[in-house]
Amino acid sequence: MPTAHKQPGIAIVGFPRSGTTLLRRLLDAHPQIDAPGETYLLSSCARFLETRRVVDGVQVGALSGVSMLGVEEQEILGRLRRLVTEIRGARAAMIGKRRWVEKTAIDAFHLDAIAKVFGDELQFVAMIRHGADVCMSTQEWCAQAESYPRELHRYVQQYLQPLVAFAHAWVDSIASLERFRERRGDAVHLVRYEELVTEPTSVLRELFEFLGESWDDEIVARGLDPQKIDGFGDWKAYERVSIDANSVGRWRTLSQGTLRQLGEILNPTLERLGYEPLNTSGSDDPAETLRRYQLGLLARSAMAAKKRDE
Amino acid sequence: MSLSRDKLYEFLQEKALSDTAIEEETPLFSSSLIDSFALVDLILFIEQSCGVKIAPFDVNLDNFDSVAKILQFVESRANPSSTSS
């Protein structure tokens, strides 16, 4: 029997489109865990701590501003922490549950600030997925939302090609997550998306052990109940009614030119995480690149013609 | 240079978006089993394997939407007289 964790809060963190929503739904199926849709509470706390550097290196923001009035930083952080834990604790109690999960896609970009506010009050579950699959899915996610999250927009401003922008963002996010794991050690449990969708039972058993919660064999079925819609989620949040590995390895369908380009950015991180690197071999001959472009136009025309004929 | 059936199957299976086994007549692009990005890779693969350049008017799904069609097309380019109508 696992030992119950003394703190009720759990945070799922991971780059958007890494499977965090699937995991949230599965945790929500536990009789003692409330894991609803996205609340933005943690990232809002992180944004509350944002500062701006001005003259002579002074950092201006809420913490420094209020501390100049004689209010201690720890007092402010404690109030922020209580705001979130009280709201979420009350909601969990309202539906008869003891623990609660926070999962918002952009939380992964604010790990240091979230840790600063919550200290040891949260158990962290970090989700990772092959970076190239993440980039493809993020591109679709942003197109569907008709916007970029602010945390990704600065990358899109810097890099003209969205997939390249997301690749750089993913690399930075993973580096931040690795530093976070080094500092927090046992408080962070790593889940790989690819393992979750191929071996859900063993991955979830291990996760519930880490959380100090019991396991039952009906959790997966309950977690994927399509009728249980609870809070904000992206367009795919409630689409999945079974666990399968269809979304694993979609990156293999990218063109060789794109694989080469993304591989140069992603491969060191992919290899460090034990993922298959992208094939960066092949020609970067300008004539072949031009031929590829020409064929791209012809291929799209051919696909459109086929659709018109149907 | 030529395009072997085994190499073609291997190439297509790697580009497929699902684990569906590809048969001789399995629709590839019209069924979305393979996407349009991979059509570019397929044509380059054929051009490099066979040492030919495929003309713009030949880039259509009638020539590339199944293993049978691809092999028939490649054969027609290797031996133009054998399939002329």
Side-chain angles (χ1 to χ4, degrees):
Chain A
M1 185 71 184
T3 311
H5 193 262
K6 61 179 179 179
Q7 304 298 350
I10 300 162
I12 302 175
V13 292
F15 196 92
R17 313 306 310 155
S18 293
T20 51
T21 299
L22 171 63
L23 186 62
R24 173 190 71 71
R25 292 178 66 193
L26 293 167
L27 287 182
D28 193 47
H30 190 281
Q32 286 300 331
I33 299 176
D34 173 32
E38 305 194 342
T39 67
Y40 294 84
L41 282 168
L42 300 188
S43 45
S44 295
C45 287
R47 286 175 175 173
F48 185 86
L49 303 186
E50 282 177 0
T51 60
R52 186 167 56 90
R53 185 186 165 102
V54 294
V55 64
D56 289 336
V58 172
Q59 300 283 342
V60 298
L63 277 187
S64 52
V66 179
S67 71
M68 287 184 73
L69 307 180
V71 181
E72 293 292 328
E73 178 175 301
Q74 287 308 317
E75 169 69 17
I76 302 164
L77 295 176
R79 284 175 182 266
L80 265 183
R81 185 164 58 243
R82 283 194 294 280
L83 174 70
V84 173
T85 56
E86 285 172 14
I87 290 172
R88 291 298 286 109
R91 143 75 194 203
M94 194 167 73
I95 59 170
K97 294 193 174 188
R98 178 169 47 79
R99 302 195 68 183
W100 47 267
V101 171
E102 272 298 303
K103 195 293 286 184
T104 299
I106 56 173
D107 289 346
F109 298 100
H110 300 285
L111 289 176
D112 291 338
I114 290 170
K116 184 171 184 173
V117 175
F118 292 92
D120 297 328
E121 298 259 342
L122 293 174
Q123 280 185 296
F124 288 89
V125 181
M127 274 211 81
I128 59 170
R129 180 185 182 190
H130 193 290
D133 278 343
V134 169
C135 291
M136 289 178 75
S137 190
T138 301
Q139 181 163 254
E140 293 159 5
W141 177 54
C142 291
Q144 193 74 22
E146 299 180 356
S147 68
Y148 299 106
R150 195 174 71 172
E151 289 76 1
L152 288 177
H153 190 231
R154 68 184 178 93
Y155 290 95
V156 177
Q157 284 176 310
Q158 190 174 351
Y159 301 100
L160 289 172
Q161 296 161 274
L163 284 177
V164 171
F166 300 147
H168 282 287
W170 183 79
V171 166
D172 288 351
S173 171
I174 292 292
S176 164
L177 189 60
E178 287 174 321
R179 289 192 300 272
F180 183 69
R181 286 186 71 209
E182 273 177 23
R183 286 197 305 275
R184 303 304 301 262
D186 291 347
V188 186
H189 182 79
L190 188 70
V191 173
R192 284 176 191 264
Y193 173 77
E194 292 81 1
E195 291 174 357
L196 177 64
V197 296
T198 50
E199 303 167 59
T201 301
S202 64
V203 169
L204 289 171
R205 275 179 178 277
E206 202 176 302
L207 173 58
F208 281 109
E209 179 76 27
F210 163 77
L211 295 173
E213 298 297 336
S214 60
W215 162 261
D216 75 71
D217 291 331
E218 300 301 316
I219 280 180
V220 172
R222 286 201 304 272
L224 297 175
D225 179 357
Q227 302 300 315
K228 193 168 187 322
I229 295 177
D230 197 9
F232 281 135
D234 65 50
W235 91 107
K236 277 189 168 178
Y238 300 104
E239 196 175 88
R240 191 190 277 269
V241 293
S242 65
I243 294 183
D244 59 59
N246 286 344
S247 297
V248 174
R250 287 176 62 214
W251 58 269
R252 293 175 202 284
T253 64
L254 289 168
S255 71
Q256 191 53 47
T258 303
L259 286 173
R260 192 166 55 243
Q261 198 175 17
L262 294 184
E264 286 169 8
I265 304 161
L266 298 174
N267 280 355
T269 305
L270 289 172
E271 289 175 14
R272 206 167 59 243
L273 296 175
Y275 279 116
E276 181 182 344
L278 310 188
N279 181 1
T280 55
S281 64
S283 168
D284 56 0
D285 172 18
E288 185 180 319
T289 305
L290 192 59
R291 177 68 175 146
R292 184 176 284 281
Y293 176 74
Q294 181 189 30
L295 288 172
L297 299 177
L298 292 168
R300 282 168 180 74
S301 173
M303 298 293 276
K306 184 70 182 174
K307 274 194 180 154
R308 281 197 302 274
D309 291 346
E310 286 171 357
Chain B
M1 297 174 77
S2 64
L3 177 65
S4 81
R5 184 179 296 265
D6 288 348
K7 286 278 182 199
L8 178 60
Y9 271 111
E10 187 183 325
F11 175 89
L12 294 171
Q13 205 69 63
E14 188 173 297
K15 295 290 179 185
L17 294 170
S18 77
D19 291 334
T20 305
I22 295 174
E23 309 285 349
E24 190 92 359
E25 301 289 348
T26 303
L28 302 173
F29 299 97
S30 59
S31 65
S32 299
L33 179 61
I34 299 180
D35 67 19
S36 62
F37 291 112
L39 180 53
V40 173
D41 292 330
L42 172 65
I43 294 171
L44 279 172
F45 175 66
I46 294 169
E47 289 187 338
Q48 287 162 2
S49 300
C50 302
V52 297
K53 186 165 182 180
I54 293 168
F57 55 80
D58 280 330
V59 180
N60 59 69
L61 295 199
D62 290 339
N63 290 330
F64 299 107
D65 202 27
S66 69
V67 169
K69 286 177 176 174
I70 295 167
L71 291 173
Q72 188 180 8
F73 172 74
V74 169
E75 176 69 16
S76 74
R77 288 300 168 272
N79 303 295
S81 58
S82 68
T83 56
S84 58
S85 54

